[in-house]
Structure formats: C-alpha cells, structure tokens
Amino acid sequence: MYRDKTRVIHIGNKVIGGGNPILIQSMTNTHTEDASATIAQIKRLEDAGCEIIRCTVPTIEAAEALREIKKNINIPLVADIHFDYKMAIAAMENGADKIRINPGNIGGRDRLSEVVRCAKERNIPIRVGVNSGSLEKDLVEKYGGVTAEGIVESALDKVAMIEDMDYHEIVISIKSSDVLMCARAHELIAEKTSYPLHVGITESGTLWSGNIKSSLGLGMILSQGIGDTIRVSLTGDPVEEVRTAKLILRTLGLRSGGIEVVSCPTCGRTRIDLIGLANKVEEMVADIPLDIKVAVMGCVVNGPGEAKEADIGIAGGIGEGVLIRHGEVIRKIPEDELLDALRDELLHWND
Ligand code: SF4
C-alpha cells in the first residue's frame, strides 16, 4: 500500500506517513487573532476526536496569537498561509508545528528560501497545497483544461522548489471539488512521490452534500491505500467535519473505537418515533468510549432478528419496546424509558 511506504513526518507530538494511523484534521473558523475563541473551538474539536488543527494566519496579530493558542491546546497546530512569506515565518516563530503554503504564490524564490530556512532550523514540516481552482495557466493550456495530470504536475513542481533547497519534511495536498478528478489525481501522484498525502475534497458543500462528496471521494482514495491524514471540508460546524472523518475511517476499517449506531429505515410497522430516537441515541453514544455496535430498530417483530450483528440494541413496539443483545430479546421496557435503559447498559458494559 502506498501509505505504508510514505515518508514519516513529525508534526508536533504526532506522526504521519509510513503506515502510521491516518490522522484526522480540521480547521478553525474563528478569527485566529481572537485567541480565546479559537482555543475554545479547538477544545471542542479535540473532544470530538480532532488530531491536528489548522488556523488561518492572515495577519501578524494572528501569527502572534498562535503562541497563546498553542499553550492551551494538546494537538499540533498548523498555520495556513496565503501569499505573505512574512506570515509563514512569524507563524513558525510563534510555535506553529507545521505550515501550509503554496510555494508558487509566496512571493518568489528568495522569499520561499527564507521560509524554508526558518522551517529547516526548527524541523517544521511544510504542507505544499495545490488547488485545482488556482492551477497555472500554462498547465491548463498544456493539458487542455483543468485536469488531474495538471494538478499533479503543479504539485510536484512546487515540491521540487523546496527539495532544491535541500528540505524534505514535506506533506502534499492536491484538492479539487470535482470528486472523480480528485481521486484520479491522488492515484497519479501516489505513483510519483513518497511524501505523505493530506487528502480532502475541497469546497464540498453543506453538511448534506459535503458529507456525501467527502465520503465518496475519501472512500475512493483511502480504499486504494492512499492518504496519510484527512480533512473533511464542510460549510458548517468543524466538529461535524471530525465526526464525519471518524465515521469514514471506521467504515473503511481504518480505525476502530467508538460506538457505531445502526438503525432501520422505518416502515409501516413502526409505532414509535424511531427517527427521533435514533438521533438521540447517536448523540448519546458520541462520548461513550466503547467499541461496539448499537442497533435502534422500529419494531419487535423484525427488529431483533435484523439487528443480530449488533452487540446491543432497542426495538420499539406500541407504548413499550425491548432491549436486545445479538438479536435476542432481554427484557421489555416502557417506551419513554428506552433511551435511559440503553444508556445504563452502555455505561455498565464492562462491569
Ligand atoms: S425493523 Fe421493523 S420497523 Fe424497522 S424496517 Fe424492519 S420491519 Fe420495519
């Protein structure tokens, strides 16, 4: 697998590449200059399972705020830089564990070389980010439009600029909102380089469309053994990005841990508010540290049988439901006590 052979890169207290676990990233949407708001958001993201966090650094105040932010969080902090090499240097001086730049738009070779020198002194990795939306004109012309081949060439050109400065602590990200193009670009680049890849579908949209596009795109890429760290981009609360990323990794068998909730689609037999109940169960189990499957089924006739693979579950009836374990009914419970009964079972799972 490609990811087993990628170069190992240290990002603060975490490691990616070389077959290490795929780490989940997100990005804050606070003003980085507002350190307390940014810290509060990162804390929520850490609790949700975020393992690397990126903050935009558009001003010197934002770069300086990184120092305070870093003191108050436990996960590596990545500075997102656009255009201004001074921000990249200031971010590193203020404790960034990694920087994300596009070497092509940082102001020329001399300025890039200053950034690389600063990174080298501190052994800070550089993520080279290329986005299909900003593909160079000559590559658009060469390939007859924006193509996977063009994106890959652009990324490798940027990587070569840093390699020429004798620096190799590099992570690559190539992004496109076109899911198929993005998947193809990752297949191509995996054949040409051994740097770890940060994978994500850019501008994927709101919670609904973004989750679908990200799941498909990341699914196609990760299932080929490609990808060392992921970010799900959603127009919404970044905590949702982390929840989705965790489920994607778990669904692909790339992560264990956490409770998986399965629920039936409901049908004419359903006599309880199963949709409401399933949502409440999903929310309830989010912070329970077990690695099991929980079923939420709509009826006692088919529910227990259909939930055979679940470790535990509930199935609704009329005014009451049943608690089930591996498809067997354990006991009857009044409908309004179903959720509490399930929670109780989970909290005493290992007793
Ligand atoms: S478990 Fe019962 S309610 Fe749910 S879909 Fe199956 S038959 Fe319908």
Side-chain angles (χ1 to χ4, degrees):
M1 279 208 181
Y2 171 77
R3 78 169 70 90
D4 293 337
K5 300 184 195 104
T6 50
R7 187 185 173 92
V8 173
I9 299 283
H10 293 261
I11 306 165
N13 58 7
K14 294 268 175 25
V15 186
I16 61 164
N20 280 294
I22 298 165
L23 297 188
I24 297 170
Q25 307 206 14
S26 186
M27 188 165 179
T28 53
N29 57 13
T30 52
H31 294 295
T32 310
E33 294 84 350
D34 185 347
S36 52
T38 306
I39 292 164
Q41 188 171 65
I42 297 173
K43 289 284 179 201
R44 285 178 57 231
L45 288 161
E46 280 181 359
D47 289 345
C50 182
E51 292 159 318
I52 298 175
I53 188 68
R54 181 161 46 116
C55 299
T56 188
V57 179
T59 61
I60 200 72
E61 289 76 19
E64 285 165 2
L66 295 184
R67 192 173 289 277
E68 180 65 16
I69 293 167
K70 201 171 146 52
K71 265 195 256 160
N72 289 281
I73 64 171
N74 301 303
I75 54 177
L77 180 60
V78 183
D80 195 73
I81 310 294
H82 285 275
F83 308 115
D84 192 342
Y85 81 108
K86 284 195 214 118
M87 296 305 144
I89 291 171
M92 289 188 274
E93 287 171 348
N94 281 284
D97 295 303
K98 176 179 160 197
I99 55 165
R100 183 263 179 203
I101 58 170
N102 178 343
N105 69 19
I106 205 88
R109 201 181 184 285
D110 290 349
R111 290 177 169 181
L112 176 65
S113 134
E114 282 193 48
V115 172
V116 171
R117 194 176 59 230
C118 183
K120 211 191 266 186
E121 279 166 14
R122 295 167 172 80
N123 209 27
I124 292 172
I126 298 176
R127 177 180 136 202
V128 174
V130 178
N131 192 322
S132 63
S134 53
L135 192 61
E136 292 82 355
K137 229 172 145 201
D138 58 328
L139 289 173
V140 174
E141 275 164 23
K142 176 176 172 184
Y143 291 103
V146 176
T147 62
E149 288 76 7
I151 299 168
V152 169
E153 187 170 329
S154 172
L156 294 177
D157 285 350
K158 309 288 172 0
V159 167
M161 290 166 79
I162 296 176
E163 286 176 323
D164 286 350
M165 295 167 187
D166 196 25
Y167 198 54
H168 304 273
E169 299 306 300
I170 297 170
V171 178
I172 304 176
S173 68
I174 45 176
K175 294 201 175 173
S176 169
S177 55
D178 181 320
V179 175
L180 296 177
M181 188 191 293
C182 195
R184 178 77 192 124
H186 281 86
E187 289 163 14
L188 288 175
I189 204 160
E191 288 168 7
K192 293 174 190 252
T193 178
S194 61
Y195 290 114
L197 295 177
H198 165 121
V199 185
I201 307 296
T202 195
E203 294 136 21
S204 54
T206 57
L207 210 54
W208 181 74
S209 61
N211 277 338
I212 295 172
K213 284 192 193 174
S214 291
S215 304
L216 280 168
L218 287 167
M220 280 191 269
I221 296 164
L222 295 173
S223 63
Q224 296 184 66
I226 300 169
D228 300 274
T229 174
I230 61 169
R231 183 206 174 185
V232 170
S233 300
L234 297 174
T235 308
D237 184 343
V239 167
E240 297 294 340
E241 299 185 349
V242 174
R243 293 182 64 193
T244 302
K246 278 167 84 176
L247 188 55
I248 289 172
L249 292 180
R250 192 186 160 111
T251 306
L252 291 168
L254 294 167
R255 223 8 126 89
S256 59
I259 294 178
E260 182 182 355
V261 177
V262 295
S263 53
C264 82
T266 74
C267 73
R269 285 184 187 274
T270 318
R271 292 288 182 271
I272 56 165
D273 172 23
L274 192 81
I275 298 172
L277 193 58
N279 280 298
K280 281 184 196 149
V281 169
E282 205 162 59
E283 206 172 296
M284 174 189 76
V285 303
D287 56 357
I288 299 179
L290 290 172
D291 183 8
I292 59 168
K293 196 180 269 191
V294 171
V296 185
M297 310 303 280
C299 73
V300 288
V301 182
N302 293 339
E306 287 178 18
K308 266 202 181 77
E309 284 165 31
D311 298 281
I312 191 162
I314 47 179
I318 303 174
E320 62 178 13
V322 293
L323 194 69
I324 45 181
R325 267 188 195 246
H326 295 291
E328 299 294 325
V329 174
I330 306 294
R331 64 174 200 268
K332 285 187 179 176
I333 296 165
E335 184 181 335
D336 58 359
E337 292 172 23
L338 273 173
L339 195 66
D340 287 344
L342 179 62
R343 183 173 169 78
D344 210 44
E345 291 284 330
L346 295 173
L347 292 179
H348 295 99
W349 191 253
N350 293 316
D351 289 357

